[in-house]
Short mmCIF file of all heavy atoms in Angstrom, two decimals:
data_model
loop_
_atom_site.label_atom_id
_atom_site.label_comp_id
_atom_site.label_asym_id
_atom_site.label_seq_id
_atom_site.Cartn_x
_atom_site.Cartn_y
_atom_site.Cartn_z
N PRO A 20 3.84 -20.53 -50.51
CA PRO A 20 3.25 -19.19 -50.42
C PRO A 20 1.74 -19.19 -50.70
O PRO A 20 0.99 -18.50 -50.03
CB PRO A 20 4.01 -18.40 -51.49
CG PRO A 20 5.26 -19.18 -51.75
CD PRO A 20 4.90 -20.61 -51.52
N ASP A 21 1.28 -19.98 -51.68
CA ASP A 21 -0.15 -20.00 -52.01
C ASP A 21 -0.81 -21.27 -51.49
O ASP A 21 -1.64 -21.88 -52.16
CB ASP A 21 -0.34 -19.86 -53.53
CG ASP A 21 0.33 -21.02 -54.27
OD1 ASP A 21 1.24 -21.66 -53.69
OD2 ASP A 21 -0.07 -21.31 -55.42
N ALA A 22 -0.44 -21.67 -50.28
CA ALA A 22 -0.98 -22.89 -49.68
C ALA A 22 -2.50 -22.81 -49.54
O ALA A 22 -3.05 -21.74 -49.32
CB ALA A 22 -0.34 -23.12 -48.31
N ASP A 23 -3.17 -23.96 -49.67
CA ASP A 23 -4.63 -24.02 -49.47
C ASP A 23 -4.98 -24.20 -48.00
O ASP A 23 -6.09 -23.92 -47.57
CB ASP A 23 -5.20 -25.17 -50.30
CG ASP A 23 -4.95 -24.97 -51.78
OD1 ASP A 23 -5.35 -23.92 -52.30
OD2 ASP A 23 -4.31 -25.85 -52.40
N GLY A 24 -4.03 -24.69 -47.25
CA GLY A 24 -4.23 -24.86 -45.81
C GLY A 24 -2.91 -24.71 -45.08
O GLY A 24 -1.90 -25.24 -45.51
N VAL A 25 -2.93 -23.93 -43.97
CA VAL A 25 -1.72 -23.76 -43.16
C VAL A 25 -2.06 -24.09 -41.72
O VAL A 25 -3.06 -23.61 -41.19
CB VAL A 25 -1.18 -22.31 -43.24
CG1 VAL A 25 0.09 -22.17 -42.40
CG2 VAL A 25 -0.90 -21.92 -44.69
N GLY A 26 -1.27 -24.94 -41.11
CA GLY A 26 -1.50 -25.31 -39.71
C GLY A 26 -0.29 -24.98 -38.87
O GLY A 26 0.83 -25.32 -39.24
N GLU A 27 -0.52 -24.31 -37.73
CA GLU A 27 0.58 -24.02 -36.83
C GLU A 27 0.22 -24.54 -35.45
O GLU A 27 -0.84 -24.22 -34.92
CB GLU A 27 0.86 -22.51 -36.78
CG GLU A 27 2.09 -22.19 -35.93
CD GLU A 27 2.55 -20.74 -36.04
OE1 GLU A 27 2.20 -20.07 -37.03
OE2 GLU A 27 3.24 -20.28 -35.12
N VAL A 28 1.10 -25.35 -34.89
CA VAL A 28 0.85 -25.88 -33.55
C VAL A 28 2.09 -25.67 -32.69
O VAL A 28 3.20 -25.60 -33.18
CB VAL A 28 0.46 -27.38 -33.58
CG1 VAL A 28 -0.89 -27.58 -34.23
CG2 VAL A 28 1.52 -28.22 -34.27
N GLY A 29 1.85 -25.59 -31.38
CA GLY A 29 2.94 -25.41 -30.44
C GLY A 29 3.00 -26.59 -29.49
O GLY A 29 2.00 -27.26 -29.25
N ASN A 30 4.18 -26.83 -28.97
CA ASN A 30 4.38 -27.94 -28.06
C ASN A 30 4.43 -27.41 -26.63
O ASN A 30 5.35 -26.69 -26.26
CB ASN A 30 5.70 -28.64 -28.42
CG ASN A 30 5.81 -30.01 -27.78
OD1 ASN A 30 5.46 -30.18 -26.62
ND2 ASN A 30 6.27 -30.98 -28.55
N ALA A 31 3.43 -27.79 -25.84
CA ALA A 31 3.34 -27.28 -24.48
C ALA A 31 4.54 -27.72 -23.66
O ALA A 31 5.00 -27.01 -22.77
CB ALA A 31 2.05 -27.78 -23.82
N LYS A 32 5.07 -28.89 -23.97
CA LYS A 32 6.16 -29.45 -23.15
C LYS A 32 7.50 -28.72 -23.37
O LYS A 32 8.24 -28.51 -22.43
CB LYS A 32 6.31 -30.94 -23.46
CG LYS A 32 7.19 -31.64 -22.45
CD LYS A 32 6.86 -33.12 -22.30
CE LYS A 32 7.81 -33.78 -21.32
NZ LYS A 32 7.61 -35.22 -21.24
N CYS A 33 7.79 -28.36 -24.63
CA CYS A 33 9.12 -27.79 -24.88
C CYS A 33 9.05 -26.39 -25.48
O CYS A 33 10.07 -25.74 -25.65
CB CYS A 33 9.92 -28.70 -25.81
SG CYS A 33 9.19 -28.84 -27.44
N GLY A 34 7.83 -25.90 -25.81
CA GLY A 34 7.71 -24.55 -26.34
C GLY A 34 8.04 -24.43 -27.81
O GLY A 34 8.13 -23.32 -28.34
N ASP A 35 8.25 -25.56 -28.49
CA ASP A 35 8.60 -25.51 -29.91
C ASP A 35 7.37 -25.35 -30.79
O ASP A 35 6.25 -25.64 -30.39
CB ASP A 35 9.39 -26.74 -30.33
CG ASP A 35 10.83 -26.66 -29.83
OD1 ASP A 35 11.34 -25.54 -29.74
OD2 ASP A 35 11.40 -27.71 -29.51
N ILE A 36 7.62 -24.89 -32.02
CA ILE A 36 6.55 -24.60 -32.95
C ILE A 36 6.73 -25.37 -34.26
O ILE A 36 7.87 -25.57 -34.70
CB ILE A 36 6.52 -23.07 -33.24
CG1 ILE A 36 5.89 -22.33 -32.06
CG2 ILE A 36 5.74 -22.76 -34.50
CD1 ILE A 36 6.15 -20.86 -32.09
N MET A 37 5.63 -25.79 -34.84
CA MET A 37 5.67 -26.50 -36.13
C MET A 37 4.64 -25.86 -37.05
O MET A 37 3.50 -25.63 -36.65
CB MET A 37 5.32 -27.98 -35.89
CG MET A 37 5.11 -28.81 -37.13
SD MET A 37 6.67 -29.26 -37.91
CE MET A 37 7.43 -30.20 -36.60
N LYS A 38 5.03 -25.58 -38.28
CA LYS A 38 4.12 -24.98 -39.25
C LYS A 38 4.06 -25.88 -40.48
O LYS A 38 5.10 -26.30 -41.00
CB LYS A 38 4.62 -23.59 -39.63
CG LYS A 38 3.51 -22.62 -39.97
CD LYS A 38 3.97 -21.17 -39.90
CE LYS A 38 2.89 -20.24 -40.41
NZ LYS A 38 3.30 -18.83 -40.37
N MET A 39 2.87 -26.19 -40.92
CA MET A 39 2.67 -27.13 -42.03
C MET A 39 1.84 -26.46 -43.13
O MET A 39 0.85 -25.80 -42.83
CB MET A 39 1.94 -28.36 -41.47
CG MET A 39 1.88 -29.59 -42.32
SD MET A 39 3.46 -30.47 -42.55
CE MET A 39 3.82 -31.12 -40.92
N TYR A 40 2.29 -26.61 -44.38
CA TYR A 40 1.61 -26.00 -45.54
C TYR A 40 1.11 -27.09 -46.47
O TYR A 40 1.88 -27.99 -46.85
CB TYR A 40 2.58 -25.11 -46.32
CG TYR A 40 3.21 -23.99 -45.52
CD1 TYR A 40 4.29 -24.23 -44.68
CD2 TYR A 40 2.73 -22.69 -45.62
CE1 TYR A 40 4.88 -23.21 -43.95
CE2 TYR A 40 3.31 -21.65 -44.89
CZ TYR A 40 4.39 -21.92 -44.06
OH TYR A 40 4.96 -20.90 -43.34
N LEU A 41 -0.16 -26.98 -46.90
CA LEU A 41 -0.74 -27.97 -47.82
C LEU A 41 -1.20 -27.31 -49.11
O LEU A 41 -1.85 -26.26 -49.08
CB LEU A 41 -1.96 -28.64 -47.18
CG LEU A 41 -1.78 -29.57 -45.99
CD1 LEU A 41 -3.16 -29.97 -45.47
CD2 LEU A 41 -0.96 -30.79 -46.35
N LYS A 42 -0.87 -27.95 -50.23
CA LYS A 42 -1.41 -27.54 -51.52
C LYS A 42 -2.31 -28.69 -51.97
O LYS A 42 -1.85 -29.82 -52.13
CB LYS A 42 -0.24 -27.33 -52.51
CG LYS A 42 -0.65 -26.69 -53.80
CD LYS A 42 -0.80 -25.19 -53.66
CE LYS A 42 -1.73 -24.67 -54.75
NZ LYS A 42 -2.45 -23.46 -54.34
N ILE A 43 -3.58 -28.39 -52.16
CA ILE A 43 -4.55 -29.44 -52.46
C ILE A 43 -5.18 -29.24 -53.84
O ILE A 43 -5.55 -28.11 -54.20
CB ILE A 43 -5.62 -29.50 -51.35
CG1 ILE A 43 -4.92 -29.98 -50.05
CG2 ILE A 43 -6.76 -30.46 -51.71
CD1 ILE A 43 -5.77 -29.95 -48.84
N GLU A 44 -5.24 -30.33 -54.61
CA GLU A 44 -5.84 -30.26 -55.95
C GLU A 44 -6.62 -31.53 -56.21
O GLU A 44 -6.06 -32.63 -56.06
CB GLU A 44 -4.71 -30.10 -56.99
CG GLU A 44 -4.91 -28.90 -57.91
CD GLU A 44 -3.70 -28.67 -58.80
OE1 GLU A 44 -3.55 -29.42 -59.79
OE2 GLU A 44 -2.90 -27.76 -58.49
N ASP A 45 -7.89 -31.37 -56.61
CA ASP A 45 -8.75 -32.53 -56.90
C ASP A 45 -8.75 -33.57 -55.78
O ASP A 45 -8.66 -34.78 -56.03
CB ASP A 45 -8.28 -33.21 -58.20
CG ASP A 45 -8.28 -32.25 -59.39
OD1 ASP A 45 -9.19 -31.39 -59.45
OD2 ASP A 45 -7.39 -32.37 -60.24
#
Side-chain angles (χ1 to χ4, degrees):
Chain A
D21 61 339
D23 299 304
V25 181
E27 185 170 339
V28 292
N30 195 317
K32 192 152 178 186
C33 64
D35 285 328
I36 283 164
M37 171 77 61
K38 212 161 173 180
M39 193 70 68
Y40 302 80
L41 292 174
K42 189 80 203 151
I43 294 173
E44 234 173 77
D45 303 324

